[in-house]
Amino acid sequence: MTAPNVLIPTKEMNRVEWLKNRRQGIGGSDASAILGLNKYSTAFEVWSEKTGDYIPEDVESEAAYFGNLLEDMVAKEFENRTGKRVRRRNAILQHPKHEWMIANVDRMVVGEKAILECKTANQRLASDWEGEDIPAQYLVQIQHYMAVLGAPKAYIAVLIGGQRFVWKEIERDEELIEMMIAEEKRFWEEHVLAGVPPALDGTSAAEKYMKERFPEAVKDTEIALSASYKEQLEYRDQLKEQLVEIQQEITKIENRIKLEMKENEKATLPGFQITWKNRSSMRVDAKRLKQEQPDIYETYLKESISRPLLVKAVE
């Protein structure tokens, strides 16, 4: 198979710069989102990232930070357990034929045409890695990488809960790769290049898109919605009722923990870090300012326009 093209070196690149350069094509984690298999991203978020200035919220999260920090340790442990050697491939790589397919792999296995993908997982996700199981989103991600690099196999290594290490070998699946290429091509041409968003979802990216495209309503205008929205609105009401019940259950658990903690600001429990600390903040007393210094209050008033969606049942 033909070797991939080097799209851009990444050795001196920080994470934000790396994410911006990923806009030039579809990466492995994008592929799983496009196929609806990614727990942490959606097709709409991928489209927003490729076509605008949207940057995923986890860029500076602790999970992303420690995931990157522990990558070296996972790679080193893979070497210790298998006797294989791995090296970095500091570049965003591009499929030699499908230029919109890109890959930034964690490691290459020395002496084999194989990839190593390094992961960390919460202990609560341990069951996803039992036996020969590999979470579908990671399987798709790695098959995407194998397609870009022309690799016949790959390995995945994961540190689970900071105390359990597993690694698995993954064979190239041509049937899955062909299906992925077709779907990725359709997404790239029909949505990214055409500037047409996929179906809207409930992500912050979709919210941002709607606010930017329709920031203000035209006064005294009205449309008639399709009858199909009646069922969706009834379902929305059911979800809101469930949400209230779920929030009450969450609050009940939290209140019981608080009662157990009493005046203590920290609590210990295997697998969890629990704090209940004092938090101080300074705020302007707007009501008092308006009463005592009305001129100053008026000077610093700023109009803010928002468009909350209000739904009310009528007979």
Side-chain angles (χ1 to χ4, degrees), residues 207-308:
E207 280 286 301
K208 182 175 183 289
Y209 173 79
M210 295 303 293
K211 286 179 181 178
E212 290 179 350
R213 187 161 187 186
F214 309 109
E216 296 184 31
V218 178
K219 192 175 180 179
D220 297 328
T221 56
E222 182 177 322
I223 68 162
L225 289 177
S226 164
S228 64
Y229 282 102
K230 179 175 172 54
E231 184 176 339
Q232 293 183 47
L233 287 172
E234 290 171 347
Y235 180 51
R236 173 183 177 272
D237 288 341
Q238 294 174 18
L239 290 175
K240 293 191 75 170
E241 289 175 6
Q242 293 173 21
L243 186 61
V244 171
E245 295 173 2
I246 290 170
Q247 187 56 58
Q248 288 176 346
E249 286 298 307
I250 291 172
T251 303
K252 180 172 71 175
I253 294 169
E254 291 176 348
N255 284 338
R256 289 175 176 175
I257 292 171
K258 290 176 181 178
L259 180 60
E260 187 77 14
M261 290 179 69
K262 298 182 173 64
E263 296 85 2
N264 297 286
E265 66 172 20
K266 294 182 181 180
T268 59
L269 187 67
F272 295 90
Q273 181 180 12
I274 305 166
T275 60
W276 187 23
K277 298 182 179 182
N278 302 329
R279 180 177 294 174
S280 177
S281 62
M282 300 295 290
R283 299 179 182 177
V284 173
D285 187 337
K287 184 177 180 181
R288 182 182 170 190
L289 179 63
K290 184 177 181 180
Q291 290 174 343
E292 299 180 6
Q293 302 287 344
D295 293 340
I296 294 176
Y297 178 81
E298 290 290 336
T299 299
Y300 286 94
L301 280 180
K302 180 181 178 181
E303 183 180 19
S304 176
I305 298 175
S306 61
R307 294 189 65 188

Side-chain angles (χ1 to χ4, degrees), residues 52-69:
D53 58 0
Y54 173 75
I55 295 178
E57 293 180 350
D58 76 336
V59 172
E60 297 179 351
S61 72
E62 287 198 344
Y65 172 78
F66 283 108
N68 292 329
L69 196 66

Side-chain angles (χ1 to χ4, degrees), residues 170-186:
I170 303 170
E171 296 294 330
R172 185 184 176 98
D173 186 334
E174 289 294 350
E175 186 176 352
L176 175 56
I177 286 174
E178 287 181 12
M179 182 275 289
M180 288 168 51
I181 289 174
E183 188 60 23
E184 289 176 31
K185 182 176 186 292
R186 184 195 66 78

